[in-house]
C-alpha cells in the first residue's frame, strides 16, 4: 500500500462491495471457507450492517414452531400460492426471479430458521400478520401470519454475521476498508477481476447521517471473484422518480426517505458497464404510511407506521379508501390508488384506544424493548396501559399528528396542516360517523369492521395487534387522533440478474465471469424474486439467502 493521495493496492480471493446484511453474510461464508476477503464500503465503519441495522427485523418463515404454537396452519403449498399470486410474474425477464422465488420458499420452510438459531438468533413468540391482501384466495397477500420478529430487531440479525467478519479480521482472513467508493469494476479477458475507485476523507458522522464525498486518494483491488452487494436506490429520489413505474401513475413531488442517503444506486451503472444485466428497475416497494421523523438522522428521514387494521384511512379529500385497502393489507394497491388521487398524502383517523393497541413504528431505534431484549419494557409497552414510548413521542412532537377531543376540532387541526386545505370536512364527518354507526350491532356491511372481528379470532391479533372494535367517536375511547401520511421510499425490487449460484448474468444470458451479486442490488435474488409485490419479512430474508448463496458460490469458484 502506498501513501495518502496515491493509489492503494490490495488483493484477495473475494472482494465484497457493500457491508449491509447481504455483504456481511457473503463475507462470513467466504471466510468460513478459508478464503481471503476484502470488504469495501463508501461509508465510515459506524455504518457496518447498512440498512439492516435500522430494520424492525421481520423475517418470513413457513410452518415454523412459532406459527404452530400460535395455532397457525401454514404449508409450503399455501406459501407458494401466496407468493406467486402476490409477485404477479409476467415478463420474459422473470425466468430467474421465478426460480429464486421457488428456492427461497424452500429455504424459508426448511433451513432458514435452524441456520439462524444455530447462530444465536431468537424470535419474538407472537407472529405478525403483515400484507394481509383482502382479495380472493388466489389474490395477493399472506393467507396466514408469517412475520417473525427477530429478538433484537435489525441489530440482532446483523450481530452474528458482524461477529463472523470481526473474527475473520482477527484471524487475518478479512480486511474491512471503510470510505472506499467503487467507481469501476476491473475487467480483463472478459472476466471481472477486481474494482477501483476513490478513497474518501475520514468521517466522524454518526450511523446513518450523510457523509462528505471529498476524495483523498484512489485504490485498486484485485480479486478473482467480486460480489456486488451495494443495495438499492431508495435514498436517491431523482433515481426513484426516473424509474417510477407507469402503472403507479406520476411519481410523488414530495417523498420521505425510509433509508439513508447512501442508498444511492451508484453501483448500478458500475455493474452494467462491466457487463451485468439490470432488470425490473421499475419494480419498487414504497410505503404510504410514512411520517416525518421529529428527530431525523438522514435527509427527509421518515418513519413507517406499522399499523394495525382499525384506523379509518382517508385520501387527501376525505374519502375513505375502497375495499380492501385497509391498513396493513395491500401496500402496492394502496400506493397505486393514492397516486391516482393527484395528492402526495393521505390520512389516518383513529381513537386513543386504537393507537395504544395497534401503532408500532418500524425500525430498530423505534422499538427499544425488542431491540434491547428488555422483557419488562416489552410487557409494559406491548401489554400495558398507554401508548408505547416512541409512539407517545410522536403524539407529543410529530408534525403529522393531530390530537383533539371532538371531531370538529380534529378536522380543523387536519385542515391547518400543509395540504389540509384540500380536506372536505363534511366528507370526513360522513365517513367517520357512518363507520361508527355500523359498530352498534352484530351485523354490518362494512368490510373493514367484519375483518376486525375476524382478525381477533387470531390470538396474536387479539393480544398485541387489533383493538376491540369500537366507536371511534365515543369519548371513552378518546381523544381523537389524525395522522397525515406520506409516501416513504424503501426498497428496489429489481436489480442485477443472477442465476441460482448468484452469478451475474450478461445481456446474452451467460454468466459474467468473476461477478456475483446479492441483496437488494440483485433484487434480493435473480433480479427480482418478489415480482411486483412483497409479502413482508422477505427483504432481510432475501439478503440472508442471496448473500449466503453468493458467498458460498464465490468461495467454491476460487
Amino acid at each position: 500500500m502506498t501513501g495518502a493521495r496515491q493509489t492503494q493496492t490490495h488483493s484477495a480471493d473475494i472482494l465484497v462491495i457493500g457491508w449491509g446484511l447481504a455483504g456481511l453474510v457473503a463475507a462470513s461464508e467466504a471466510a468460513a471457507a478459508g478464503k481471503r476477503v476484502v470488504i469495501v464500503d463508501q461509508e465510515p465503519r459506524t455504518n457496518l450492517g447498512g440498512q439492516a441495522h435500522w430494520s424492525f427485523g421481520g423475517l418470513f418463515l413457513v410452518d415454523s414452531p412459532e406459527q404452530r404454537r400460535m395455532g397457525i396452519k401454514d404449508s409450503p403449498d399455501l406459501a407458494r400460492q401466496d407468493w406467486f399470486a402476490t409477485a404477479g410474474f409476467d415478463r420474459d425477464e422473470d425466468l430467474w426471479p421465478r426460480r429464486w422465488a421457488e428456492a427461497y420458499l424452500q429455504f424459508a420452510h426448511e433451513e432458514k430458521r435452524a441456520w439462524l438459531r444455530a447462530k444465536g438468533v431468537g424470535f419474538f413468540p407472537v407472529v405478525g400478520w403483515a400484507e394481509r391482501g383482502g382479495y380472493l384466495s388466489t389474490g395477493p397477500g399472506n393467507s396466514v401470519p408469517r412475520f417473525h420478529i427477530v429478538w433484537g430487531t435489525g441489530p440482532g440479525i446483523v450481530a452474528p454475521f458482524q461477529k463472523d467478519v470481526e473474527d475473520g479480521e482477527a484471524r487475518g482472513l478479512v480486511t474491512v476498508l471503510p470510505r472506499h467508493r467503487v467507481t469501476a469494476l476491473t475487467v480483463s479477458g472478459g472476466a471481472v477481476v477486481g474494482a477501483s475507485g476513490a478513497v474518501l476523507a475520514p468521517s466522524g458522522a454518526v450511523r446513518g447521517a450523510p457523509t462528505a464525498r471529498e476524495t483523498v486518494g484512489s485504490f485498486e483491488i484485485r480479486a478473482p471473484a467480486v460480489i456486488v452487494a451495494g443495495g438499492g436506490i431508495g435514498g436517491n429520489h431523482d433515481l426513484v422518480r426516473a424509474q417510477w413505474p407507469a402503472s403507479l401513475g406520476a411519481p410523488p413531488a414530495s417523498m420521505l426517505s425510509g433509508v439513508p442517503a447512501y442508498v444511492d444506486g451508484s453501483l448500478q451503472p458500475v455493474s452494467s458497464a462491466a457487463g451485468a444485466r439490470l432488470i425490473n428497475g421499475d419494480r419498487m416497494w414504497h410505503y404510504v404510511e410514512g411520517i416525518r421523523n421529529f428527530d431525523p438522522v438522514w435527509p427527509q428521514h421518515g418513519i413507517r407506521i406499522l399499523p394495525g387494521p382499525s384506523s379509518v384511512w382517508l385520501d387527501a379529500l376525505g374519502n375513505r379508501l375502497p375495499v380492501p385497502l385497509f391498513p396493513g393489507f395491500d401496500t402496492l394497491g394502496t400506493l397505486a390508488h393514492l397516486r391516482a388521487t393527484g395528492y402526495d398524502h393521505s390520512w389516518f383517523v383513529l381513537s386513543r384506544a386504537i393507537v395504544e393497541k395497534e401503532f408500532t413504528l418500524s425500525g430498530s431505534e423505534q422499538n427499544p424493548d425488542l431491540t434491547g431484549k428488555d422483557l419488562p419494557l416489552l410487557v409494559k409497552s406491548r401489554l400495558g396501559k398507554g401508548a408505547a414510548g416512541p409512539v407517545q413521542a410522536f403524539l407529543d412532537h410529530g408534525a403529522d399528528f393531530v390530537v383533539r377531543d371532538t371531531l370538529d376540532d380534529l378536522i380543523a387541526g387536519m385542515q391547518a396542516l400543509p395540504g389540509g386545505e384540500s380536506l372536505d370536512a363534511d366528507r370526513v364527518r360522513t365517513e367517520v360517523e357512518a363507520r361508527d354507526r355500523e359498530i352498534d350491532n352484530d351485523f354490518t356491511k362494512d368490510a373493514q369492521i367484519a375483518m376486525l372481528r375476524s382478525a381477533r379470532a387470531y390470538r396474536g391479533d387479539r393480544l398485541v395487534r387489533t383493538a376491540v372494535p369500537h366507536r371511534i367517536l365515543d369519548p371513552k375511547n378518546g381523544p381523537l387522533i389524525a395522522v397525515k401520511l406520506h409516501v416513504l421510499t424503501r426498497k428496489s425490487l429489481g436489480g442485477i440478474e443472477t442465476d441460482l449460484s448468484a452469478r451475474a448474468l450478461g445481456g446474452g444470458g451467460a454468466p459474467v465471469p468473476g461477478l456475483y451479486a446479492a441483496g437488494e442490488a440483485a433484487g434480493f435474488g435473480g433480479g427480482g424474486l418478489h415480482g411486483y409485490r412483497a409479502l413482508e419479512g422477505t427483504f432481510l430474508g432475501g439478503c440472508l439467502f442471496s448473500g449466503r448463496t453468493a458467498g458460498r458460490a464465490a468461495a467454491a469458484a476460487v
Side-chain angles (χ1 to χ4, degrees), residues 363-374 377 382 390:
S364 56
E365 81 285 10
Q366 300 296 333
N367 294 275
D369 52 351
L370 292 165
T371 301
K373 303 181 181 180
D374 188 330
L377 181 59
R382 309 288 162 170

Side-chain angles (χ1 to χ4, degrees), residues 414-437:
M414 296 164 72
Q415 290 175 323
L417 292 183
E421 65 277 0
S422 303
L423 202 64
D424 183 328
D426 290 337
R427 184 74 249 164
V428 175
R429 192 175 295 105
T430 296
E431 296 283 16
V432 176
E433 290 176 349
R435 179 264 182 209
D436 271 10
R437 203 172 290 123

Side-chain angles (χ1 to χ4, degrees), residues 63-252:
D63 192 26
S64 69
E66 288 78 15
Q67 286 176 298
R68 294 193 291 272
R69 282 195 290 267
M70 295 299 296
I72 300 163
K73 296 180 181 179
D74 200 4
S75 71
D77 286 343
L78 185 61
R80 188 186 188 282
Q81 167 195 290
D82 291 348
W83 189 290
F84 278 79
T86 301
F89 295 121
D90 62 358
R91 297 174 176 175
D92 292 342
E93 293 87 353
D94 287 330
L95 171 66
W96 287 107
R98 282 176 177 270
R99 293 176 178 176
W100 270 87
E102 294 278 13
Y104 179 71
L105 285 166
Q106 182 177 350
F107 175 66
H109 174 237
E110 296 176 352
E111 192 177 357
K112 181 179 180 181
R113 183 183 182 278
W115 176 59
L116 291 173
R117 291 290 293 153
K119 289 184 170 291
V121 175
F123 298 96
F124 184 58
V126 178
V127 183
W129 197 353
E131 205 64 13
R132 304 182 188 214
Y135 301 91
L136 300 179
S137 302
T138 54
N142 282 299
S143 295
V144 297
R146 297 191 176 105
F147 192 80
H148 297 66
I149 301 169
V150 169
W151 188 230
T153 67
I157 195 66
V158 169
F161 303 101
Q162 179 174 336
K163 182 179 184 301
D164 288 347
V165 166
E166 290 169 347
D167 288 348
E169 286 183 285
R171 290 186 293 141
L173 279 176
V174 177
T175 301
V176 179
L177 299 176
R179 303 296 281 161
H180 281 57
R181 180 179 174 88
V182 170
T183 58
L185 299 180
T186 306
V187 180
S188 177
V192 173
V193 295
S196 61
V199 179
L200 306 179
S203 170
V206 299
R207 180 186 287 274
T211 58
R213 292 292 178 257
E214 178 190 355
T215 299
V216 296
S218 59
F219 69 89
E220 293 179 356
I221 301 171
R222 302 287 289 193
V226 176
I227 300 173
V228 175
I233 67 172
N236 185 337
H237 289 193
D238 289 340
L239 192 52
V240 168
R241 292 189 180 95
Q243 296 186 186
W244 191 266
S247 60
L248 293 181

